[in-house]
Amino acid sequence: SINIIMGQPGTGKTIFAEQMVFHHAKDDEDGDRRPILYITTLSEPSAKVLMYLQRFSFFDESKVGSVVHYQEIGTQLTQNGISALVPFIEEAIHTLSPKIIVIDSFKALHDLTETPQQMRRMLYELTGLLTAYETTVFLLGEYTDEHAQTLPEFAVADGILQFLRSSLSTRDER
């Protein structure tokens, strides 16, 4: 399935995705020991994500590189545009065979597109690739309600999870 985790910055999208990743990095009862792939695009480099993660009790350093694989595609995206994403993921599918793929931030890809048609074409190719393969995909992004009504990834999503933050007197609540 293809799922979107949406919300403004600071609502907990990345932390939630990381908790999910490390929860599923444990040996599955059904015997599915395939790895998990976490791809960073143009939001934060993997080194920063890993440094921040070390503060959390769910983080298991022994899983990094063996069960949980972090890969960056930011450089390829800035050099070659969004067309670099599909071959990158196709190669990862052939070499790692991941059961879960997280792309953080997918929304950032819109900053690199020249036309909406270019994004739709890439999304069509990506959806075809991911649908043919037995994996669960999470597309993270700083999406708003308006984006959910207009951007093409919402048309292909099987599930959408929205994170919100609201002010409660002197503090914020997620």
Side-chain angles (χ1 to χ4, degrees):
S1 64
I2 298 173
N3 305 279
I4 294 176
I5 300 176
M6 65 182 279
Q8 294 299 305
T11 54
K13 301 175 302 295
T14 299
I15 293 172
F16 174 79
E18 294 288 0
Q19 281 182 298
M20 182 179 51
V21 161
F22 281 94
H23 173 78
H24 286 282
K26 299 174 185 168
D27 289 338
D28 289 338
E29 293 174 7
D30 64 0
D32 189 356
R33 298 192 192 321
R34 294 184 301 151
I36 298 166
L37 176 60
Y38 199 103
I39 301 170
T40 58
T41 61
L42 300 171
S43 54
E44 295 178 345
S46 297
K48 182 179 177 187
V49 170
L50 285 167
M51 184 179 74
Y52 184 70
L53 271 177
Q54 293 175 15
R55 303 177 190 172
F56 294 99
S57 61
F58 63 81
F59 177 71
D60 184 349
E61 187 175 359
S62 70
K63 301 291 184 186
V64 176
S66 60
V67 180
V68 179
H69 297 266
Y70 288 88
Q71 295 185 5
E72 296 180 19
I73 188 173
T75 302
Q76 294 98 312
L77 290 170
T78 55
Q79 291 174 350
N80 304 316
I82 63 169
S83 62
L85 183 64
V86 173
F88 183 89
I89 291 180
E90 188 171 20
E91 176 66 23
I93 286 173
H94 291 299
T95 58
L96 291 175
S97 186
K99 64 182 169 183
I100 296 173
I101 299 172
V102 177
I103 304 174
D104 187 3
S105 160
F106 193 81
K107 167 74 169 61
L109 300 179
H110 287 275
D111 297 337
L112 299 174
T113 58
E114 297 173 15
T115 66
Q117 294 80 11
Q118 182 186 25
M119 185 68 178
R120 284 195 182 272
R121 268 193 307 276
M122 184 278 296
L123 191 60
Y124 177 79
E125 291 174 24
L126 181 64
T127 302
L129 172 66
L130 296 172
T131 303
Y133 183 73
E134 191 176 323
T135 189
T136 302
V137 179
F138 294 92
L139 309 176
L140 277 62
E142 305 77 25
Y143 295 106
T144 64
D145 290 337
E146 182 180 316
H147 292 134
Q149 297 171 12
T150 58
L151 296 180
E153 52 265 41
F154 287 88
V156 300
D158 299 304
I160 301 169
L161 183 60
Q162 182 176 24
F163 281 68
L164 301 170
R165 184 175 64 199
S166 57
S167 296
L168 297 174
S169 90
T170 60
R171 63 182 179 91
D172 277 354
E173 180 177 85
R174 292 184 203 191

